[in-house]
Amino acid sequence: MSKKIHVFFWLILFGNNIYSQNTISGKITCQEPISFSGIHIHIGQKISSSDAAGNYSVNNLPNGATKFFISHLGYQSIDTVIDLKSSLKIDFKLKLNTTKLHEVVIQQKNNNSTKSVAEQQIKLATIEKYSNQTLGDVLKEVAGISSLKTGNTVVKPIINGLYGSRVPVINNNVKLEDQQWGTEHAPNFDVNAASKITVIKGASGLQYGGDAIGGLVIIEPLSVKKDTLFGKTILNYDSNGKGGSVSSSIHKGNDLGWSWNALTTLKYMGDKQAADYVLSNTGNREANFSGNIKYSAKKYNATAFYSYYKSIIGILSASHTGNVNDLYQSINNKLPSVINDFTYNIKNPKQDVEHQITKFNFNYYFNESAFVSFQYAFQFNKRLEYDVRRGDYKNTAALDLDLKTHSLNIDFKKSGHDWNFKSGLSAAMQNNYANPATGIRPLIPNYDKIDFGAYGIASYNFTDSFSVDGGLRYDFSKIDATKYYQKSRWDERGFNEKFSKFIVGDFGTQWLTKPSFTFHNISASAGFHKKLENSWDIFTNLSFASRNPNPSEFFSDGLHHSTGVIELGDLNLDKEQSTKLSITLQKKFNQFSFEINPYINHIQDYIFLKPVGFETTIRGAFPVWEYQQTNARLLGIDVQTHWDITNHWQHSFSLAYVNGKDSSKNEPLIDMPPLNLNNKIRFSKKEWNQLILELKSEIVLQQNQYPDNNFYTNIIKDNEFESVLVNISTPPPAYHLLHFYSEMKFNTFKNTNTTVAFSIQNIFNVSYRDYLNRQRFFADEIGRSFQIQLKFNY
C-alpha cells in the first residue's frame, strides 16, 4: 500500500510540472526614442512582439528551463535561459550595438515574392569587383545566366536561354523602361548603384509583372537604418581601353527622422584591344548620378529618389557594313575591315543614351504585421543612334527616340505567424516619340501604351519544414501607334487583307496607318519548399506567364543603323505564353554544398529574330532579319557547388546548359547559349591584411545545335557577279579563358579602410569569338586586360 501511495505522489508531482501554465509579461525599454512594435520576442516555443509602448505578454508557458531571445535591429540581442516555476513579470532594457563604422549591418529589403524558387543573390562585395563593367557582366556570376552582346560594352542578360523583354530589370522597385526591345540595347543602369542583386529564374515575381517569361533581375540600393554617416570611393583602371572610372557615394542613415544617399560615377574608356589588333571605335563614356532622401516616423516613411544615366558608346567600325558584300568578306577573311591606331575618340556609328528616373514612395505601417505602399515613378529615356552619314546629315542621328513612362503602384502586405499575403494594383502610361528630323523613316514609330495590372500572392508554412505559395495576376495592355508604311512593303508582308482597317491616309507611295492592339493576360505561379532530413532542401515551382509583342517586334521596318541590318516586324504576331516547371535541390554538408536546378519551359508563339536573306537599297545590299513566331521548348539544368577545403582554401563550380528547340519545325532555336563551365579556386588569409587570391577557369563549348539560316548572294569578283554562300549560322569554336583576382585591405587613415585589388582578365590573351555576340562576324573578343582597383571606405 505504501508503494502505491509513493507512486501516486510522484505522478501528481510530475503531472503538475508538465501541465503548469505560466504567463510572462513585462516592459521593454531603451534610452533612445524608438518604435517598440518592431521588437522580436521568442520565449520557449512562443513567438510574440511588444506593443508600441514596449509592453509584452506571453501565456501558456510550461515549467522548466525556458529560453528567452529578444532582438531589434541596431541593438544588442538578449539571449538567456530562465527556470520557470510560476508566472513572472520581467522587464528588459535594450542597449545599442556599438560595432565599428565599417562593420555596420546594412539593411536590405527582402523582395521575395515566393518561397518555391531558390533565388540567387549577388552581394555587395561581388558587385564592387565589377565597378568598371556592366550589369550584364556581373550577372554572369550566377549559374544559368549568360550574355547577349553587341561588342563588349552593350551587354544584355540571358536567363535560361531567354532575354530582352522576357527579363525585366527592377531598379529600386521601378521596372526599367529604356527601349529594352533592341538586341543591342543594354540596361541603362550604373552597377555601382546596387548593394544587392537578386535573380529570380522564371515568372514567379508576380508583383512586378506577368511578362517575366525568362526571369527577373531585382536591384536594391543601399539602405542604412543605423544613425551614422559614411562614404565610399572606388577608383578603377583598365589597361584594355587605357581608361577607367571613379565612383563615389555618401550615406546618412537614421532609424527615425531624415536619412539620405548620394552616388556619382564617371567612366572614360578608349578603344578596346583584341589579342592581335585594335577594335576601332569601341570607346565609351558614362556620367551617372543617383540619390534619395527619406523621412522615417514610427508609423510611416516617405522617400524621394532621382537617378540620371548618360552613356556614349562607340560601335565597332568594322561592324558597320556598307552592303552584304562587306558582310561576306568579313566572315571569310576573319579580320576586321577597319583597323586603326588606338584612340579615345568616338566616331559614328555610335549610341548616345540618356535615362532619368524620378520616384516618390510612401509606406504606412498599420502594425508590425501589415503595411500599405504607394509609389509613383516617371522615367524619361532618350536614345540617339548615329550612322555613318555625309552631307547635311553628317552629325544628325539616324534614330532619335524619346520614351516617357508614368507608373503608379499600390501594394498591401499582411503577415501572420505562419502565413504571408501581398496584393496590389499597378498602372502605367507610356509615350514614344520618333523625331522626324532624322530624315529617315523611323525604325520604331510614335506610339501610346497603357497598362493596368492586379495581383495577389500568398505563402503558408504548414510546418517548420514545409511551406507552399501561390499567386495570380491579371494584366490589361493597349498600344496605339502611328506609322507610315511603304505600299510595296505593306503588300509584300500581306497586311492589306487583315489590317486594312488601320489605314487612315494615302500619301502616294505610302500608307499612313494607326495600328491598335489590346491584350488581356493571366499569369500564375504555385509551388512548395520542403526541408528534408540531413540538410536537404527541395524547391518546386510551376509558373504560367504571358508576354505581349514589343514595339520592335510589331513595327520594325527598315535599316537598323547601329547594327547594319534591315529588321522587319510583323503585325500578325500574337502574345507569347510560357509554362515552366522548375525544381531545385540543395544539399549542405559540413564543408560542401551544392545546388541543382533542372527546368523545362514550353513557350507557345515564341518570338525570335531570324535572318531571311538580303535586300538592296540605295546604299547597297543589306542582310534582312525578320521577326517570326513558333512553338518552342527549352530544357536545361544549372549546377552550383561550393567546397570549403580548409580554413584558407575554397573551391566553387558552376555549370549551365540549355537546349532550345523549335517544336513546330523540329529544329534548334537560334541564339541559345552553349554549355559553359566555371571553376574558381580561392585562397584567403585574414591575418595577412585579409588577403584574397582567386583563379577562375571559364570554359564555353561550341554550340552544336543551331538552325541553318545561311543564304546565297551575288558579289562582284573579277568584274563579274559570283553567287556565294553567306555563312551567318555556324557558331565559332569553343574557348577556354583563365582569370586572376587578388585583394588586400589596409587601415590607411583614421576611420578609413582601403582595399587594393589587382586582376587579370584573359591571362593568356586568347583569340576567340562568342556565339552570343552580334559582332562575332566582324572581330574577335577583347584580349588580355590588367585591372587595378582602389576602394576607400570612410
Side-chain angles (χ1 to χ4, degrees):
M1 186 70 177
S2 173
K3 185 175 182 181
K4 290 181 179 180
I5 294 174
H6 188 259
V7 171
F8 181 72
F9 170 79
W10 281 108
L11 286 172
I12 293 175
L13 179 63
F14 182 69
N16 185 60
N17 278 335
I18 291 177
Y19 294 105
S20 294
Q21 301 298 319
N22 304 306
T23 297
I24 302 297
S25 62
K27 187 170 184 176
I28 299 173
T29 61
C30 66
Q31 294 180 346
E32 297 75 22
I34 66 171
S35 174
F36 292 95
S37 59
I39 295 175
H40 174 80
I41 301 172
H42 195 157
I43 302 178
Q45 301 298 316
K46 305 287 186 177
I47 298 176
S48 183
S49 59
S50 60
D51 61 20
N55 299 306
Y56 76 94
S57 180
V58 179
N59 303 317
N60 300 324
L61 294 169
N63 288 347
T66 304
K67 184 174 181 179
F68 284 62
F69 183 80
I70 300 173
S71 65
H72 187 57
L73 184 67
Y75 291 82
Q76 297 178 20
S77 299
I78 297 173
D79 191 354
T80 187
V81 176
I82 296 176
D83 187 13
L84 285 184
K85 297 180 180 179
S86 63
S87 296
L88 296 173
K89 182 177 181 180
I90 307 176
D91 296 333
F92 294 97
K93 186 173 183 178
L94 297 177
K95 295 181 180 181
L96 278 171
N97 190 344
T98 56
T99 52
K100 295 181 180 179
L101 179 62
H102 63 274
E103 294 174 341
V104 170
V105 176
I106 298 171
Q107 184 191 33
Q108 294 171 323
K109 298 177 183 178
N110 185 3
N111 281 316
N112 294 356
S113 58
T114 179
K115 294 182 180 179
S116 60
V117 173
E119 300 175 355
Q120 306 293 324
Q121 293 185 350
I122 303 175
K123 297 183 178 180
L124 183 60
T126 302
I127 296 170
E128 288 177 345
K129 292 182 183 179
Y130 291 86
S131 173
N132 196 44
Q133 299 183 57
T134 69
L135 177 64
D137 292 319
V138 67
L139 288 173
K140 289 177 66 177
E141 287 285 324
V142 176
I145 297 188
S146 47
S147 297
L148 182 70
K149 301 191 290 185
T150 301
N152 299 285
T153 304
V154 180
V155 184
K156 296 175 73 73
I158 301 176
I159 300 180
N160 293 157
L162 300 173
Y163 59 88
S165 300
R166 305 178 185 96
V167 182
V169 176
I170 312 299
N171 176 20
N172 195 9
N173 207 43
V174 177
K175 182 179 179 181
L176 278 182
E177 298 286 351
D178 54 357
Q179 305 284 7
Q180 63 269 31
W181 40 263
T183 56
E184 83 297 354
H185 300 178
N188 298 156
F189 176 75
D190 175 16
V191 72
N192 294 284
S195 70
K196 184 177 74 172
I197 301 174
T198 302
V199 176
I200 301 177
K201 300 175 182 177
S204 302
L206 294 178
Q207 71 184 81
Y208 302 106
D211 57 351
I213 290 178
L216 280 166
V217 177
I218 302 173
I219 302 167
E220 300 176 51
L222 202 62
S223 176
V224 185
K225 296 197 71 175
K226 187 176 177 66
D227 183 9
T228 186
L229 176 68
F230 67 96
K232 175 177 65 178
T233 297
I234 301 178
L235 302 174
N236 296 282
Y237 174 76
D238 191 336
S239 67
N240 200 322
K242 300 179 182 179
S245 65
V246 56
S247 180
S248 189
S249 60
I250 188 166
H251 312 272
K252 175 66 172 73
N254 218 338
D255 184 28
L256 294 174
W258 294 98
S259 58
W260 49 267
N261 302 277
L263 165 77
T264 186
T265 301
L266 299 173
K267 183 183 293 185
Y268 192 91
M269 300 293 297
D271 289 340
K272 295 290 186 177
Q273 173 90 31
D276 301 313
Y277 46 78
V278 172
L279 299 169
S280 297
N281 201 48
T282 55
N284 67 295
R285 315 275 189 269
E286 279 189 26
N288 310 314
F289 170 82
S290 63
N292 75 325
I293 184 168
K294 179 179 181 180
Y295 181 79
S296 300
K298 291 183 179 180
K299 299 285 288 185
Y300 68 88
N301 60 62
T303 306
F305 169 82
Y306 174 77
S307 73
Y308 175 85
Y309 175 93
K310 173 74 170 179
S311 177
I312 300 175
I313 303 170
I315 303 298
L316 178 73
S317 295
S319 70
H320 199 80
T321 56
N323 49 60
V324 76
N325 294 11
D326 295 342
L327 175 62
Y328 171 79
Q329 296 296 340
S330 294
I331 292 174
N332 286 275
N333 292 340
K334 302 298 182 183
L335 281 174
S337 58
V338 178
I339 301 178
N340 297 321
D341 293 336
F342 171 87
T343 180
Y344 289 101
N345 296 331
I346 298 178
K347 302 178 180 179
N348 296 344
K350 66 182 179 183
Q351 298 179 2
D352 186 340
V353 181
E354 173 187 322
H355 190 79
Q356 299 182 60
I357 301 176
T358 303
K359 185 189 85 165
F360 300 96
N361 179 266
F362 178 81
N363 297 320
Y364 183 81
Y365 298 87
F366 300 100
N367 50 50
E368 66 274 7
S369 63
F371 76 91
V372 64
S373 173
F374 302 88
Q375 177 179 293
Y376 165 76
F378 171 73
Q379 298 181 70
F380 175 72
N381 184 267
K382 185 170 185 63
R383 183 172 192 86
L384 301 171
E385 295 186 3
Y386 291 86
D387 191 6
V388 178
R389 307 174 75 181
R390 294 172 176 81
D392 295 338
Y393 289 100
K394 181 178 181 181
N395 297 314
T396 302
L399 185 69
D400 185 346
L401 302 176
D402 290 352
L403 185 68
K404 299 175 182 177
T405 307
H406 300 266
S407 61
L408 178 67
N409 298 81
I410 303 174
D411 299 286
F412 171 77
K413 185 174 182 179
K414 174 71 175 176
S415 39
H417 184 264
D418 294 314
W419 57 272
N420 289 281
F421 173 75
K422 190 170 185 179
S423 63
L425 300 171
S426 63
M429 293 189 302
Q430 187 174 87
N431 169 262
N432 183 70
Y433 173 71
N435 191 345
T438 60
I440 297 174
R441 183 186 301 107
L443 182 69
I444 304 298
N446 297 339
Y447 68 82
D448 292 295
K449 185 169 175 281
I450 59 172
D451 298 287
F452 294 99
Y455 75 91
I457 53 179
S459 63
Y460 187 83
N461 299 320
F462 286 95
T463 67
D464 290 340
S465 62
F466 181 71
S467 64
V468 298
D469 61 76
L472 187 67
R473 183 180 177 97
Y474 165 77
D475 285 287
F476 167 84
S477 183
K478 188 174 189 295
I479 184 169
D480 296 295
T482 300
K483 179 175 177 58
Y484 287 91
Y485 276 96
Q486 292 282 357
K487 290 182 177 179
S488 57
R489 179 78 74 193
W490 183 267
D491 294 337
E492 170 198 311
R493 307 293 291 165
F495 290 158
N496 198 59
E497 180 178 349
K498 188 175 180 181
F499 302 112
S500 58
K501 60 184 178 181
F502 293 156
I503 299 175
V504 296
D506 186 342
F507 288 80
T509 61
Q510 299 183 94
W511 293 120
L512 173 60
T513 68
K514 290 195 173 183
S516 179
F517 297 95
T518 301
F519 296 94
H520 300 270
N521 296 332
I522 296 292
S523 303
S525 174
F528 69 86
H529 172 209
K530 173 66 177 176
K531 290 181 176 290
L532 305 174
E533 295 181 357
N534 300 322
S535 299
W536 281 91
D537 283 82
I538 179 171
F539 301 79
T540 301
N541 180 264
L542 179 65
S543 62
F544 176 79
S546 299
R547 183 187 74 90
N548 303 328
N550 63 41
S552 176
E553 295 161 341
F554 262 144
F555 306 123
S556 289
D557 176 26
L559 184 63
H560 199 162
H561 295 270
S562 67
T563 58
V565 300
I566 293 172
E567 293 181 7
L568 299 179
D570 192 345
L571 299 178
N572 292 288
L573 295 178
D574 202 353
K575 61 186 177 184
E576 293 180 339
Q577 297 185 83
S578 162
T579 302
K580 182 177 182 179
L581 176 64
S582 173
I583 299 173
T584 301
L585 289 173
Q586 293 179 346
K587 169 66 174 174
K588 295 181 180 179
F589 300 91
N590 290 334
Q591 285 83 33
F592 182 77
S593 64
F594 69 86
E595 177 178 302
I596 301 175
N597 171 216
Y599 59 89
I600 183 168
N601 194 353
H602 287 279
I603 306 177
Q604 181 179 338
D605 294 320
Y606 173 79
I607 301 172
F608 63 102
L609 191 58
K610 177 182 179 179
V612 294
F614 68 95
E615 184 175 301
T616 301
T617 71
I618 59 174
R619 285 191 48 195
F622 289 91
V624 177
W625 293 64
E626 179 180 284
Y627 286 103
Q628 297 185 2
Q629 280 189 304
T630 190
N631 292 328
R633 183 230 62 201
L634 283 78
L635 179 69
I637 186 169
D638 301 331
V639 179
Q640 294 184 98
T641 69
H642 183 80
W643 180 21
D644 292 321
I645 305 171
T646 68
N647 291 334
H648 303 299
W649 290 93
Q650 298 89 38
H651 175 268
S652 58
F653 167 79
S654 67
L655 173 152
Y657 171 76
V658 58
N659 179 287
K661 183 179 179 181
D662 183 333
S663 304
S664 301
K665 298 181 179 179
N666 194 29
E667 66 180 23
L669 290 175
I670 193 171
D671 291 335
M672 287 291 110
L675 173 66
N676 63 84
L677 306 96
N678 291 278
N679 283 275
K680 183 191 294 181
I681 188 75
R682 172 179 171 137
F683 174 81
S684 59
K685 186 85 170 178
K686 289 186 177 181
E687 296 80 3
W688 297 351
N689 294 100
Q690 300 186 51
L691 172 69
I692 295 175
L693 301 174
E694 291 180 353
L695 184 65
K696 180 179 179 180
S697 165
E698 179 183 358
I699 300 174
V700 178
L701 301 186
Q702 184 174 14
Q703 178 58 276
N704 293 318
Q705 301 182 26
Y706 59 94
D708 184 357
N709 295 317
N710 296 336
F711 59 89
Y712 283 90
T713 187
N714 292 321
I715 67 170
I716 298 176
K717 188 174 182 180
D718 297 329
N719 295 322
E720 294 183 359
F721 281 107
E722 179 180 340
S723 179
V724 295
L725 178 69
V726 182
N727 184 6
I728 61 171
S729 300
T730 305
Y735 59 88
H736 179 205
L737 307 177
L738 287 176
H739 313 294
F740 171 76
Y741 176 83
S742 63
E743 74 171 37
M744 296 181 74
K745 298 183 187 301
F746 303 92
N747 293 320
T748 49
F749 306 102
K750 184 179 179 180
N751 296 327
T752 300
N753 178 278
T754 302
T755 302
V756 180
F758 172 73
S759 61
I760 309 174
Q761 299 293 309
N762 192 359
I763 295 174
F764 295 108
N765 204 28
V766 175
S767 297
Y768 69 101
R769 299 196 179 193
D770 190 337
Y771 174 60
L772 296 174
N773 192 334
R774 295 296 295 272
Q775 293 184 353
R776 65 182 171 88
F777 307 117
F778 312 105
D780 292 342
E781 300 289 324
I782 63 173
R784 181 168 46 231
S785 171
F786 297 95
Q787 300 172 1
I788 299 174
Q789 183 182 90
L790 297 176
K791 181 177 65 177
F792 304 95
N793 288 309
Y794 43 85

